[in-house]
Amino acid sequence: RGRVGWISHTAGSAVSAVAHQAEVSGIGIDLEQDRDVADIVHLVAFGAERDWLDSHPASIRERKMLELFAAKESLFKAVFPTVKRYFDFDAVELEPQVDGSIFRGRFLTPLDGLAPHTTVTISVGRSDHEVLALAVLA
C-alpha cells in the first residue's frame, strides 16, 4: 500500500521500478531490445520530435527513434493509472534535454486526472543492445 510501480521485460531481461506514492504520483519503466522501428516512426514522433530525430546522422537515427519510443512507453505507463484511459503518443510532446538522455514530456491533449501543463521527466539509458526508460510523474 502507498506505492506505485511498474515492470517491463524483453527476451532475457526484466526490470522494475517502485516509489512511495507520497513522493510521486506515477512511475513508468520500459525496456526495449534494439530492433528496426522505422515502420512505427509515424505513430511515435511528431513535429519537433521528428525534427530532433532528423537532426541526427542516419547511422544513429534508428537508435534515437527507439529511445524516443521507450520514453513515450514509460510515460504512458506512469500516467495511465492516473488518467485510466488509453491515449495516443501524439497527446504528448517530448523535448530532449541536455545530451538527449533526459526528456521532458508535455501533454498537448488534456487528460482527466492531470493538471493542465503537467510535465513528466523521463530518463533514458542504453546498453549495447537495450534501451531503458524511466518516467516519473511528480
Side-chain angles (χ1 to χ4, degrees):
R1 234 168 224 273
R3 291 178 180 79
V4 293
W6 211 271
I7 63 168
S8 186
H9 58 86
T10 65
S13 298
V15 294
S16 64
V18 179
H20 289 282
Q21 202 166 19
E23 296 174 23
V24 301
S25 58
I27 193 166
I29 194 164
D30 191 55
L31 180 64
E32 299 288 336
Q33 282 189 325
D34 280 342
R35 66 180 191 282
D36 181 9
V37 289
D39 61 330
I40 64 168
V41 69
H42 68 285
L43 300 171
V44 177
F46 306 93
E49 297 166 342
R50 286 295 284 267
D51 295 340
W52 176 76
L53 286 173
D54 292 341
S55 74
H56 290 87
S59 60
I60 65 166
R61 197 171 298 140
E62 181 115 346
R63 194 175 97 191
K64 291 297 182 183
M65 173 55 202
L66 187 62
E67 292 171 7
L68 184 69
F69 173 74
K72 285 200 172 186
E73 280 285 313
S74 70
L75 180 141
F76 181 87
K77 292 173 182 181
V79 171
F80 185 82
T82 299
V83 302
K84 296 177 177 54
R85 76 172 181 92
Y86 176 84
F87 57 91
D88 289 322
F89 284 155
D90 64 352
V92 64
E93 178 182 69
L94 297 189
E95 180 184 349
Q97 307 290 301
V98 192
D99 64 356
S101 64
I102 297 176
F103 291 91
R104 180 81 21 97
R106 182 174 60 90
F107 289 89
L108 306 175
T109 302
L111 297 171
D112 290 341
L114 287 184
H117 311 294
T118 296
T119 61
V120 179
T121 301
I122 305 128
S123 299
V124 177
R126 79 166 18 259
S127 67
D128 289 340
H129 302 289
E130 292 177 327
V131 173
L132 177 65
L134 174 68
V136 177
L137 179 63

